Amino acid sequence: MVRHYKIMLVGCAFFDGSTILLVAQALSNLGHSVIFWNIRVNDKPPTDDYDFAIVWSNRLVNPESFGNKPNCYVYLDDPEYWRKENPQYDIEVICKDYKYVFTNMKWEGFDEKRYIFLPMGVLGDIHKRIILTEEDKKKIGYDILFIGTNRGNRGNLVKHIAYNRNNKYSVGVYGNGWDKIGITTTPAYFYDFSKLLSAAKIVITEHWKNGFSTNDCEKPAVGGALTITDCQIVKDHYPMMPMYKTYQEAVDLAHYYLEHEEERLKLVREMQIIAHANFSYEKQLTKLIKIVTGED
């Protein structure tokens, strides 16, 4: 018999694109009930009873807040990035008192006895190809697309693509922080994210170092644009995914698959199957629940 739990999700549901909402939906799909502790609004947890807590945030939450209730921390970003840019949010700082810490990525020196690699990021109702009108395709459709926050070397990558691609192919950029290099754009989340990927042909990703991210689950799951990566760990999960080592190689790969549509679509379909089979929130949260509760 499958046991259903009352789970407290700890984080903030009110930021644009907060994936805690997707987690709540997936838990509901599995038959669990959810209450929220919005740590940006309340410094103390709700008084409702619950079975265990999942911290879904990259902020410090004292595990003593949960009393004797089982709990775990899901670290959502690249520790190597935060260690450099915001050391106070490093995984070794904010997760040091948690027994169970789950991550979406591995990094140099990853301690498998301390951290549990459990990548997730696919919710079937959202991460799927969306049928668009011809008008929408013209409005938001790009041959080569980049979706993500401008950080690290991403600005240089996007500039290289823009200046070195064949001019018959269009380039689009969505995300936060691009105004720093003179690109006016907006972020795209949930359905808007899937619409953009459904309208595009190629989406190129860039990683801080070697981290597997939520986007590496989401982008292939949509089944629209072909993902091209620079990360070996990502390619290990999607063996057929094209991988670049230089910016020009990224451009060359984009050109090749734009000119070989059947081959592009074949890879898109293969990676979509892998993403939905391996990285759905429902599947991975079920594993998390079993680990935290000690279920067989």
Side-chain angles (χ1 to χ4, degrees):
M1 181 178 176
V2 177
R3 181 175 176 184
H4 294 144
Y5 294 96
K6 187 173 186 180
I7 300 169
M8 182 163 72
L9 285 180
V10 184
C12 183
F14 301 128
F15 284 127
D16 287 344
S18 175
T19 54
I20 199 170
L21 297 174
L22 306 186
V23 175
Q25 180 63 63
L27 290 171
S28 178
N29 292 346
L30 291 166
H32 305 294
S33 59
V34 174
I35 61 172
F36 287 96
W37 175 14
N38 187 340
I39 57 173
R40 296 301 181 94
V41 176
N42 300 306
D43 58 3
K44 294 182 179 179
T47 57
D48 310 55
D49 192 25
Y50 61 94
D51 295 306
F52 69 93
I54 299 174
V55 180
W56 194 269
S57 173
N58 278 0
R59 296 297 183 268
L60 181 63
V61 180
N62 190 333
E64 292 182 0
S65 303
F66 311 118
N68 60 358
K69 299 286 189 181
N71 58 80
C72 65
Y73 201 112
V74 180
Y75 193 83
L76 302 175
D77 211 331
D78 187 338
E80 293 181 294
Y81 174 79
W82 285 113
R83 192 171 296 140
K84 180 178 183 297
E85 299 296 325
N86 297 95
Q88 69 270 32
Y89 300 141
D90 178 35
I91 191 170
E92 294 179 3
V93 175
I94 62 178
C95 297
K96 62 184 179 68
D97 295 322
Y98 283 83
K99 179 179 180 180
Y100 299 109
V101 180
F102 298 89
T103 73
N104 243 10
M105 55 188 62
K106 292 183 178 180
W107 56 92
E108 187 175 347
F110 182 87
D111 185 352
E112 294 188 0
K113 295 181 180 179
R114 177 71 186 98
Y115 304 118
I116 303 167
F117 180 54
L118 193 69
M120 67 183 88
V122 179
L123 189 68
D125 286 344
I126 291 177
H127 300 110
K128 61 183 179 181
R129 190 169 186 181
I130 296 175
I131 305 302
L132 302 168
T133 65
E134 289 302 317
E135 183 179 353
D136 280 342
K137 290 179 183 178
K138 291 178 182 178
K139 187 184 299 183
I140 65 171
Y142 294 96
D143 295 306
I144 305 171
L145 182 65
F146 189 95
I147 304 182
T149 300
N150 178 24
R151 72 182 191 187
N153 295 318
R154 290 174 176 176
N156 293 330
L157 169 64
V158 166
K159 286 181 179 179
H160 186 93
I161 293 170
Y163 295 144
N164 292 279
R165 98 287 189 188
N166 188 316
N167 285 333
K168 70 179 180 180
Y169 298 126
S170 58
V171 178
V173 181
Y174 285 83
N176 292 302
W178 290 99
D179 56 316
K180 298 174 185 177
I181 61 170
I183 298 176
T184 301
T185 189
T186 59
Y189 305 115
F190 305 147
Y191 291 114
D192 289 336
F193 176 90
S194 292
K195 284 175 67 176
L196 285 169
L197 287 165
S198 297
K201 294 293 185 71
I202 302 289
V203 59
I204 296 180
T205 65
E206 193 272 350
H207 296 74
W208 177 255
K209 276 195 176 180
N210 299 311
F212 186 103
S213 74
T214 303
N215 267 199
D216 295 315
C217 305
E218 296 171 331
K219 288 171 181 173
V222 173
L226 172 64
T227 306
I228 295 177
T229 190
D230 64 335
C231 178
Q232 183 60 50
I233 293 176
V234 177
K235 187 170 177 62
D236 290 344
H237 288 278
Y238 304 93
M240 69 292 297
M241 183 181 288
M243 179 176 169
Y244 69 92
K245 294 183 179 179
T246 66
Y247 293 166
Q248 187 54 43
E249 190 174 3
V251 174
D252 293 342
L253 284 168
H255 284 165
Y256 176 84
Y257 287 104
L258 286 168
E259 293 162 10
H260 295 80
E261 179 68 357
E262 287 188 12
E263 193 171 347
R264 185 188 75 84
L265 290 174
K266 177 177 180 293
L267 296 184
V268 166
R269 286 191 290 267
E270 291 173 351
M271 288 189 281
Q272 184 183 36
I273 290 170
I274 290 174
H276 282 268
N278 296 340
F279 305 127
S280 75
Y281 283 108
E282 289 88 348
K283 178 176 182 176
Q284 301 298 71
L285 287 167
T286 296
K287 293 179 184 177
L288 179 151
I289 290 167
K290 288 182 178 180
I291 292 170
V292 174
T293 62
E295 288 183 2
D296 294 332

